[in-house]
Amino acid sequence: MAEGPGAKKASSRLATVAGWAQAFCRGLVHFCSNQLAWLLGVPCLRRAYHLWLAAVVIFGPLLQFYVNPRAIFANHHNFFNIKFVRSAWGWTCIFLGGFMLLVVYLASQRLLLTVRHLSRLAVGAGLWLGALETFLLIENLTGYCFDSVPEGILVNKLPDKRACLRKGHQWHGYDVSGHTFLLTFCCLLIVEETSVFRRYLAQGYPAGVPLRLIFLLNVLLLGLWNFLLACTVVYLYEYSHKVVGAAIATLCWYLTYRVWYRYSWSPGRPGAGLFLKAAPEEAKKRN
């Protein structure tokens, strides 16, 4: 059965509206990614962001006197803590790893160079696992096991936290905040790795909507980690535990990105071996 003139006009209008909507969304993605890439690519703004992280960790706990202690974020078992904070490294690896993979491979077309850049995530995973074991060791060396009922009775027979908790007791030691370490470390890594997108775009490398979307997802993830870090330092853990955790994370970032990655035998700094000093048109020809 043939369509009438009215049906054809309606379908044509729908196609036109869909085309406009698609063009608008594509333009919005391009505009947002360009502006955010410019911001993250400015060195002084990144230094200001580092100061912001330090201010959040150092002065954020002062807000605990002005917030509701019964808020959802004051509970260790809240939804965001379970679904995001505890698996923050996994989320970061998925989104940041995808961004690094696309940027390095599209810019260089070299598999080994891509693997070399991705190895920075493996280094980060090793630092995170090493930090967890170090924090547990510190807590074991500085803590004691206490019976919870009646409260305050020392249990000398259990030498470490795991054995103490397994028996249903409570372990009191110096608990460096692993969550503060992880969120701070992930924030520093995302800012460092995504900062190359400004130079990537300036060189004229392929930058389709999928790459721009994953870049924007990394920016959204960065915003989420900042929010959850602020909630952690306000509601959870003792002051020195949070400051020490953030300080160790900053030290790990500094020793890798500012010291080790400058050497040729390292995984290399973000953008190493990717960018040309030639004009964007010449960069396109080489790709």
Side-chain angles (χ1 to χ4, degrees):
M1 185 174 181
E3 294 183 355
K8 290 182 179 180
K9 288 182 179 180
S11 60
S12 177
R13 289 175 182 175
L14 288 176
T16 302
V17 171
W20 286 348
Q22 186 178 10
F24 174 78
C25 292
R26 187 183 298 110
L28 184 62
V29 168
H30 277 71
F31 175 79
C32 293
S33 58
N34 286 339
Q35 299 305 311
L36 291 171
W38 184 88
L39 288 173
L40 290 171
V42 178
C44 63
L45 292 180
R46 291 201 302 274
R47 288 193 289 269
Y49 175 73
H50 296 161
L51 293 177
W52 155 257
L53 282 182
V56 168
V57 176
I58 295 173
F59 301 109
L62 299 177
L63 297 177
Q64 63 184 328
F65 302 107
Y66 305 98
V67 296
N68 183 7
R70 297 182 180 179
I72 184 175
F73 295 103
N75 186 351
H76 277 273
H77 303 289
N78 67 76
F79 172 81
F80 291 95
N81 214 23
I82 294 175
K83 298 298 182 181
F84 292 100
V85 177
R86 294 183 181 179
S87 55
W89 183 251
W91 288 107
T92 302
C93 279
I94 292 173
F95 289 103
L96 190 58
F99 173 78
M100 294 168 62
L101 174 65
L102 290 176
V103 164
V104 178
Y105 188 75
L106 290 175
S108 67
Q109 301 292 322
R110 294 162 56 188
L111 182 60
L112 291 180
L113 183 62
T114 304
V115 173
R116 180 186 177 186
H117 280 272
L118 288 174
S119 66
R120 288 195 297 272
L121 290 179
V123 173
L127 291 173
W128 165 229
L129 294 176
L132 280 181
E133 294 300 321
T134 302
F135 297 162
L136 181 60
L137 177 62
I138 293 174
E139 192 174 7
N140 285 333
L141 292 176
T142 59
Y144 298 93
C145 187
F146 291 88
D147 194 351
S148 56
V149 182
E151 188 175 357
I153 297 180
L154 181 63
V155 181
N156 292 318
K157 296 180 181 179
L158 301 175
D160 55 48
K161 180 180 179 180
R162 290 175 180 173
C164 178
L165 297 180
R166 195 179 299 117
K167 294 294 184 178
H169 303 305
Q170 295 181 354
W171 185 267
H172 298 283
Y174 193 85
D175 182 16
V176 180
S177 175
H179 287 175
T180 305
F181 172 92
L182 180 58
L183 291 172
T184 304
F185 191 56
C186 288
C187 287
L188 292 171
L189 261 62
I190 292 175
V191 169
E192 199 73 34
E193 295 291 346
T194 55
S195 65
V196 303
F197 199 48
R198 179 184 180 182
R199 296 177 63 192
Y200 179 92
L201 295 177
Q203 289 284 331
Y205 289 125
V209 172
L211 175 58
R212 291 175 180 271
L213 280 176
I214 197 169
F215 169 75
L216 293 176
L217 287 174
N218 276 280
V219 176
L220 289 175
L221 190 65
L222 177 63
L224 177 62
W225 290 162
N226 277 269
F227 172 73
L228 295 178
L229 176 62
C231 293
T232 299
V233 300
V234 171
Y235 289 104
L236 305 175
Y237 300 102
E238 296 184 14
Y239 181 78
S240 65
H241 299 175
K242 293 176 282 193
V243 172
V244 171
I248 295 175
T250 304
L251 179 63
C252 290
W253 162 81
Y254 181 82
L255 292 177
T256 50
Y257 281 88
R258 289 292 182 266
V259 179
W260 180 31
Y261 291 166
R262 294 179 181 272
Y263 293 97
S264 59
W265 42 272
S266 71
R269 299 188 67 187
L274 302 182
F275 302 120
L276 308 170
K277 295 183 179 180
E281 291 77 13
E282 295 182 13
K284 291 181 180 179
K285 292 179 182 179
R286 297 193 183 189
N287 284 298

